[in-house]
Amino acid sequence: MSRSAELFDRAKGVMPGGVNSPVRAFRAVGGTPFFVARADGCRLTDADGKTYVDYVCSWGPLILGHAHPAVLEAIRAAAERGWTYGAPCEAEVELAELVRCRMPSLELVRFVNSGTEATMTAVRLARAATKRDRMLKFAGCYHGHGDSFLVKAGSGVATLGLPDSPGIPAALAELTLTVPFNDFAAVEDVFARRGGEIAAVIVEPYVGNAGFIAPEPGFHQAVRAQCDRHGALLIFDEVMTGFRVAPGGAQERLGVRPDLTTLGKIIGGGLPVGAYGGRADLMRMIAPDGPVYQAGTLSGNPLAMTAGLATLRETERAGFYETLERRTARLLSGIEEAARRRGTPLSAAHAGSMWGVYFTTGPVRNYSDAKRADTALFARWHRAALRRGVFLAPSAFEAGFVSSAHADDDIVFTIEQLDAALGEARAG
Ligand SMILES: *Cc1c(COP(=O)(O)O)cnc(C)c1O
């Protein structure tokens, strides 16, 4: 028995599914997860000593790869000054200033400990500010595990939501309306019927939690205009896209200014940080300036703030985002070329270093298109890739990430392995 398998058995005895976050259990791709012993650059080493080129990158935070020397040194130095104060410190101010400089729509920002906390609070604030209760979200978008967001779409245009997970009161779930991504007619229709009840539209500007789906030109501009017409707020959930698809996130790349933005992942450089921010008049409603309550024992933690600062500063080097995007484009054209040669339908897309592939003939415009992809082929491809030392997200419906630690020769190695893995996956 491998060391990973042994650890997984022990883990299952003490944790549900043996994991602390469900997809890590590999249920969607079969097999059992490897346990990580250490990580460096673009590579993970498992408990049995096997190494993998990592395209999960901790699900997004590690834009510099693992154990980046500058971040490591900053964390080490910060730890020597103590690791939680329960009182404000300078690093919080510095990170907030840096965030606002990169994303000017965040006139004020509040740090929390996860993306989930950020979206939960953004919704509370939107409800308070508009004195309305309904939320509009898009099918296939993930906004953390807050009760209001674990709601799936009805078919077609918006229907009242049904709980996706037991334990969510129907009375709450029905406040969340769901429409297909990239379907402006559906948005217009919901607003025509319920415009006066909608507090906010929340959206992953580039969808990264249903695989990767790009917005069509003008989609977010049209949603923005619709929100303005009906007095609803626009919340960009940039937990994944923030500092990933451009220095100033999706809002910069798309040229759309949301009222509120939620952040996570890269902002903590791999330590637990989330944030929400936006228009000053809205953010001043948050306690202690205003009546909307939100707090956190470890919020603004000095180690986490330091890791975020060190990470974001590295991304300010000249050509940082251009290099990442070029390598990502190269990876995808390699995968596309392999699929074409092997006669496998494949639809691939990326924005910056966030990317995804579906085993289906495109275009993939929304979650229903995504669900047409061949998930059995994906599962076999995933397992074959793993055997060949490439770690892809263990689900057909997750985005992949390239970090600055993925050098050109790592990309070349990956393309060769993924090509061969596709051959093996097709053979069954
Ligand atoms: C990851 C993610 C979240 C949740 O963040 P957690 O830190 O896992 O709570 C929310 N929204 C989006 C778009 C995400 O990708």
Side-chain angles (χ1 to χ4, degrees):
M1 199 185 216
S2 72
R3 180 100 181 101
S4 279
E6 218 172 274
L7 286 168
F8 193 46
D9 271 353
R10 265 172 66 196
K12 282 187 289 192
V14 283
M15 296 180 282
V19 291
N20 284 306
S21 198
V23 275
R24 293 183 200 165
F26 275 37
R27 296 268 171 97
V29 290
T32 54
F34 60 85
F35 276 60
V36 178
R38 54 181 298 117
D40 182 40
C42 70
R43 284 184 168 75
L44 291 168
T45 304
D46 74 14
D48 297 286
K50 183 173 167 63
T51 64
Y52 308 86
V53 181
D54 180 14
Y55 290 93
V56 179
C57 295
S58 192
W59 302 89
L62 299 177
I63 195 164
L64 308 178
H66 296 274
H68 186 281
V71 183
L72 180 60
E73 192 38 51
I75 293 174
R76 200 176 266 147
E80 286 177 4
R81 300 188 294 268
W83 44 87
T84 181
Y85 307 139
C89 66
E90 186 170 349
E92 297 167 78
V93 187
E94 280 182 52
L95 186 57
E97 285 170 351
L98 201 154
V99 167
R100 187 175 60 187
C101 175
R102 296 274 284 261
M103 293 186 179
S105 81
L106 282 84
E107 294 163 355
L108 292 173
V109 57
R110 167 67 61 85
F111 294 115
V112 292
N113 305 292
S114 69
T116 294
E117 271 187 78
T119 56
M120 277 167 47
T121 315
V123 166
R124 183 179 307 146
L125 175 55
R127 285 176 168 153
T130 59
K131 302 187 171 64
R132 299 172 180 180
D133 287 342
R134 290 193 192 276
M135 298 296 306
L136 181 60
K137 74 180 280 288
F138 295 88
C141 281
Y142 178 68
H143 302 295
H145 60 87
D147 284 354
S148 294
F149 301 121
L150 291 183
V151 174
K152 64 186 167 191
S155 56
V157 286
T159 51
L160 290 181
L162 293 171
D164 236 5
S165 163
I168 296 167
L172 183 64
E174 73 174 33
L175 296 177
T176 303
L177 307 166
T178 310
V179 292
F181 189 71
N182 270 330
D183 187 346
F184 183 65
V187 174
E188 234 178 352
D189 181 58
V190 177
F191 269 101
R193 290 183 292 112
R194 300 185 176 274
E197 303 167 37
I198 296 173
V201 174
I202 186 165
V203 64
E204 284 184 75
Y206 291 82
V207 183
N209 286 287
F212 174 84
I213 307 173
E216 286 173 358
F219 176 67
H220 289 300
Q221 279 82 358
V223 173
R224 170 77 273 182
Q226 196 68 196
C227 287
D228 292 342
R229 187 164 316 131
H230 293 272
L233 301 180
L234 179 62
I235 306 173
F236 266 16
D237 181 356
E238 295 227 42
V239 170
M240 192 182 284
T241 56
F243 316 114
R244 171 60 71 177
V245 301
Q251 49 199 277
E252 176 184 71
R253 200 170 167 118
L254 296 165
V256 174
R257 192 178 173 103
D259 301 295
L260 293 172
T261 298
T262 52
L263 296 167
K265 300 191 171 131
I266 291 174
I267 198 176
L271 269 71
V273 182
Y276 61 95
R279 276 168 40 196
D281 62 311
L282 298 172
M283 291 300 291
R284 289 201 200 285
M285 293 185 70
I286 297 290
D289 271 357
V292 179
Y293 196 68
Q294 180 271 314
T297 302
L298 296 176
S299 293
N301 173 270
L303 283 196
M305 296 291 106
T306 300
L309 272 171
T311 298
L312 289 179
R313 283 184 182 136
E314 284 297 312
T315 68
E316 274 157 16
R317 290 175 186 274
F320 180 89
Y321 283 92
E322 290 76 4
T323 305
L324 273 181
E325 179 135 22
R326 182 179 56 69
R327 289 192 183 140
T328 309
R330 185 170 182 195
L331 171 68
L332 285 193
S333 53
I335 298 173
E336 281 175 308
E337 206 278 315
R340 205 174 312 119
R341 189 162 20 79
R342 294 180 184 276
T344 307
L346 180 108
S347 171
H350 72 99
S353 51
M354 176 178 167
W355 59 276
V357 298
Y358 297 102
F359 287 122
T360 180
T361 40
V364 175
R365 299 176 58 244
N366 57 41
Y367 190 39
S368 348
D369 292 343
K371 282 194 289 197
R372 284 205 306 265
D374 185 342
T375 52
L377 178 62
F378 179 86
R380 292 196 300 275
W381 189 49
H382 182 273
R383 290 197 297 271
L386 213 54
R387 283 194 297 274
R388 294 176 160 278
V390 176
F391 181 38
L392 302 172
S395 158
F397 303 114
E398 299 285 355
F401 303 99
V402 170
S403 79
S404 58
H406 290 78
D408 284 316
D409 52 350
D410 299 312
I411 300 288
V412 170
F413 168 83
T414 302
I415 293 169
E416 285 166 7
Q417 301 310 314
L418 290 181
D419 178 11
L422 186 57
E424 289 160 15
R426 279 174 51 95

